[in-house]
Amino acid sequence: MARFLLDIAPVRNIPAFRRLWIGSTLSMLGSQFTVIAISLEVFELTGSTFAVGMVGFFALVPLIIAGLYGGSIGDATDRRSAGLWTTFGLFIMTVALAAHAWLDIASVAVLYGIVALHSFAQGLNQPVRGAIVPRLVPMRQLPAANALFQLTMGSCLMVGPLLGALTVAGLGFRWAYTVDALSFAVSLWAMYKLPPLPPIPGEDGATSKAGFRSVVEGFRFLATRPNLRMTFLLDLAAMIFAMPRALFPVLGASVLGGDQFTVGLLTAALAAGSVLAGVFSGTFIRINHHGRGCAAAVAAWAVCIMAFGAVILVASSGWGRDTAWPLVMSCLVLVAAGVMDSVSMLFRTTILQAATPDSLRGRLQGIFIVVVAGGPRLGDAAMGAGGQWLGPGFAALVGAVICFLLVLLLMRMFPGFMRYDARDPQP
């Protein structure tokens, strides 16, 4: 049984990784306090859901811009230094959020500004942090290390918003932001304790210089490496066409006959799947054919969302109208979808880290951040429009079918990806 469970060897055997993982876990949890507190504060100040939605806009654009540039910084400089300074920038922004609350600066404009600067610092930090992991962990333990991060991310997404909301309700916005600031202090300490990680020269013997030209080099490399490119295309297929979260509010208010708590349950179900996959990640990390595993996981994600759409269609027809079965079935298939999404992420992240030369890892991680951040936002727009035109059940079903067909098409177009072997990672 133990071989199917989470492998904690990277945490147990590598002190630098252990500190980084602990710091990242606490900062991810603290970030959820801020996410929920900002949304609640903006709504309290404006009474407008549109104003709350604009928080996402002010966060997304700086994240995309900084994510690309942050990757080039990570390839051109010592990654410990880059990680330390960008983590310090994040820490300052969390302190600024706490300070605005303690000083009673009730201004939406100030919140939007801090959110934008925080997101910019996050965009600089995440590619560097992602490129650090393969320098700390042996290649054979990368799947286990990524599974540990997946587990903590899913756990934080599941319990963080609840704890954040309880903190806001019981202690106010001040302490919610303060918790985030304290959590980033631990992350800053973990980055400070890392060993030096100077840049490794590329095949031409030279190191890159941070800047626009360096970013373009990363895109050129990706364009000529089919296995790496396939991981991005599969993720975009899943997130743009089969991400159902934009449907949750209308389902909670109508088809599933609930309220905001129902929306929270649907959201938590996806996160619970990620946690479940992390706990039993020993089942997946021993698979060497990461290409097949990634494609199969995305296809299974599509099947789960098809099942979700089918449940909603049946519930819309009146079945189980006065029972909890439609909600129970919806949550179960979303848990299964969350498992598949986490497995897909595990394989995609490991392929990206293992098959990319170290001199380019930061820039590829930057592109990865852009795809991970932008894909779901495009998916929200696509599923929201589909729900308006087709109804939520048909929107989820049709989108999932498109995703599944795209997976089959991509597998046919790039058959080499199905032969990708972790024992001989080729980009």
Side-chain angles (χ1 to χ4, degrees), residues 57-316:
F57 171 79
F58 281 99
L60 179 61
V61 175
L63 181 66
I64 291 175
I65 296 171
L68 295 174
Y69 192 74
S72 74
I73 293 174
D75 287 338
T77 62
D78 184 293
R79 285 179 184 153
R80 174 190 175 273
S81 297
L84 186 60
W85 283 110
T86 54
T87 302
F88 182 71
L90 278 169
F91 174 65
I92 292 299
M93 289 302 103
T94 58
V95 170
L97 278 169
H100 107 276
W102 285 101
L103 295 173
D104 291 323
I105 302 174
S107 168
V108 175
V110 169
L111 278 172
Y112 284 160
I114 297 176
V115 165
L117 291 172
H118 183 281
S119 189
F120 189 83
Q122 188 177 36
L124 294 176
N125 179 261
Q126 285 186 350
V128 176
R129 188 179 292 268
I132 284 173
V133 174
R135 295 279 293 272
L136 302 177
V137 178
M139 200 66 67
R140 68 181 184 279
Q141 292 187 15
L142 270 181
N146 289 323
L148 284 161
F149 279 116
Q150 288 289 100
L151 173 63
T152 55
M153 182 173 66
S155 301
C156 292
L157 288 174
M158 187 167 63
V159 305
L162 175 61
L163 294 177
L166 290 173
T167 301
V168 170
L171 301 174
F173 296 114
R174 297 171 175 178
W175 283 104
Y177 295 129
T178 301
V179 167
D180 191 15
L182 293 174
S183 72
F184 265 107
V186 178
S187 186
L188 188 63
W189 167 81
M191 197 66 68
Y192 173 77
K193 295 290 289 183
L194 286 177
L197 299 168
I200 296 177
E203 295 179 356
D204 59 358
T207 56
S208 65
K209 295 182 179 180
F212 178 75
R213 181 176 296 180
S214 173
V215 173
V216 172
E217 288 174 0
F219 277 104
R220 286 176 179 165
F221 177 81
L222 180 61
T224 59
R225 300 303 191 272
N227 287 336
L228 293 177
R229 191 167 65 246
M230 183 71 160
T231 64
F232 287 91
L233 293 174
L234 285 171
D235 184 49
L236 288 172
M239 294 297 101
I240 293 176
F241 296 101
M243 168 52 78
R245 66 184 183 187
L247 302 174
F248 292 171
V250 68
L251 292 175
S254 58
V255 176
L256 298 179
D259 49 22
Q260 291 182 342
F261 181 71
T262 301
V263 178
L265 282 177
L266 296 175
T267 305
L270 282 173
S274 182
V275 173
L276 194 63
V279 170
F280 292 99
S281 56
T283 310
F284 317 113
I285 63 174
R286 293 175 176 81
I287 296 173
N288 290 314
H289 294 287
H290 289 183
R292 295 179 192 173
C294 182
V298 177
W301 157 272
V303 171
C304 291
I305 303 305
M306 288 183 210
F308 176 70
V311 170
I312 298 307
L313 283 173
V314 172
S316 300

Side-chain angles (χ1 to χ4, degrees), residues 6 39 186:
L6 180 72
S39 297
V186 178

